[in-house]
Amino acid sequence: MTSYKNADLHCHSVVSDGTLTPELLAARAHANGVDLWALTDHDEVGGQARALAAAQALGMAYLSGVEISVTFAGTTVHIVGLGFDPTNPQMVQGLAATRGGRNERARDMAEQLAAVGIAGAYEGALRYVGNPELVSRTHFARFLVETGVCRDTSEVFRKYLIEGRPGYVPHRWASLGDAVRWITQAGGVAVIAHPARYKFTANEEFALFSEFQQHGGRGVEVVTGSHSASEAARYADLARELGLAASRGSDFHSPDESHTDLGKLPPLPADLTPAWDLVAAHIHPGR
Ligand code: AMP
Ligand code: MN
Ligand code: MN
Ligand code: MN
């Protein structure tokens, strides 16, 4: 089995809420030494063919990817899928259903922002949208920075667009079981993304991991741009305890916004099983 020293299996393009095209992301990953890459747009596989072609042109190994929005215990949880068939009809239809409702949600978000004196947010956010089916809070955040309402996107996500703040519209995403099944029946491995980001109680977190495994989920993101070193260590321990494979990904969105660049992550602890080993047969080899 080929061993990969710099896998980066989590990032976003203009097909969801990133600012770079799949081709520019591939070039950036390659330039930063990534030797196994996956594009994981939110709820969308529309960029997969371009990402694969760009990776192959650079001689960089590639795995298909997606990051599915799930509602679990009243909280939004993200499930990354890797190494599945991106043309699988159940996956494609499931993702389309998950995306449905984003537009209406966006109009409701804009209405709330208008009520606190921020006009034109729907049209403003749309100017940043690359995929009309994927209006995201990130696009609203860019509009709020552009118009000077906030200094940067992290200020936006403290003052707006989150529960209890103007511009937050609760949304019902896919179920955990559906997301895990779409990925696994399409031949892929399901991974719980950035687990330290969820504000779960210990009991809720235990329920998430056990239900995830019961549905056939097999991986957890241990090293990610949104984990500190101690958070990575904590989820490395949990991976050992539960027998989960470990994934690694920057969650890169934009050169201007992301703290962690593609390929610039600490290594996975050597004793953990890399999640990509579980879908080794589905890796499109590089050179
Ligand atoms: P949505 O899927 O429309 O709810 O938007 C979620 C996206 O908002 C995430 O994928 C992130 O890109 C972004 N986001 C959420 N929370 C934060 C935060 N605290 N700082 C920066 N970006 C965030
Ligand atoms: Mn995002
Ligand atoms: Mn996420
Ligand atoms: Mn992400």
Side-chain angles (χ1 to χ4, degrees):
M1 199 180 291
T2 318
S3 85
Y4 295 98
K5 291 192 168 52
N6 195 356
D8 192 325
L9 305 179
H10 189 156
C11 67
H12 300 273
S13 77
V14 290
V15 171
S16 63
D17 63 348
T19 62
L20 301 184
T21 59
E23 291 77 14
L24 284 172
L25 284 170
R28 193 177 183 101
H30 184 65
N32 288 352
V34 170
D35 56 7
L36 174 63
W37 178 54
L39 171 65
T40 55
D41 277 310
H42 296 286
D43 306 322
E44 173 66 273
V45 288
Q48 291 303 305
R50 286 171 66 184
L52 171 60
Q56 286 184 323
L58 293 161
M60 180 168 60
Y62 188 76
L63 265 178
S64 63
V66 69
E67 182 176 22
I68 305 180
S69 311
V70 157
T71 302
F72 183 85
T75 296
T76 300
V77 167
H78 286 169
I79 303 295
V80 162
L82 298 169
F84 55 87
D85 169 10
T87 67
N88 180 275
Q90 274 148 288
M91 165 76 94
V92 168
Q93 285 158 25
L95 293 179
T98 301
R99 287 194 299 275
R102 272 188 180 267
N103 228 281
E104 201 181 322
R105 170 191 185 232
R107 289 189 186 277
D108 292 347
M109 288 165 64
E111 218 166 274
Q112 282 193 24
L113 291 171
V116 296
I118 301 164
Y122 180 74
E123 295 72 19
L126 275 192
R127 277 192 276 114
Y128 292 93
V129 168
N131 173 356
E133 283 185 40
L134 216 118
V135 193
S136 149
R137 283 186 292 160
T138 314
H139 303 114
F140 280 85
R142 291 188 184 128
F143 166 75
L144 292 174
V145 172
E146 172 201 81
T147 51
V149 175
C150 293
R151 233 176 319 107
D152 52 31
T153 51
S154 63
E155 186 184 342
V156 175
F157 284 102
R158 285 194 307 273
K159 296 185 174 165
Y160 299 95
L161 315 184
I162 58 167
E163 203 170 342
R165 298 284 181 169
Y168 177 74
V169 176
H171 193 73
R172 186 146 191 104
W173 303 108
S175 75
L176 178 65
D178 280 347
V180 173
R181 275 186 295 276
W182 295 336
I183 295 163
T184 50
Q185 54 82 34
V189 59
V191 172
I192 297 179
H194 43 61
R197 292 282 67 80
Y198 312 123
K199 295 184 175 87
F200 283 136
T201 63
N203 280 342
E204 287 168 338
E205 185 177 74
F206 179 78
L208 170 66
F209 277 81
S210 34
E211 289 183 34
F212 173 74
Q213 287 190 291
Q214 281 160 22
H215 289 302
R218 297 181 67 193
V220 58
E221 240 175 27
V222 168
V223 173
T224 129
S226 43
H227 280 179
S228 66
S230 65
E231 288 167 341
R234 184 164 142 233
Y235 288 97
D237 278 342
L238 194 61
R240 291 180 189 105
E241 192 185 320
L242 300 178
L244 286 166
S247 194
R248 179 176 187 260
S250 57
D251 205 0
F252 182 80
H253 282 70
S254 155
D256 301 324
E257 295 162 14
S258 298
H259 309 292
T260 307
D261 205 342
L262 283 155
K264 305 284 184 185
L265 290 159
L268 280 181
D271 64 302
L272 296 180
T273 302
W276 54 91
D277 278 4
L278 304 183
V279 284
H282 300 165
I283 296 175
H284 299 272
R287 249 192 295 273

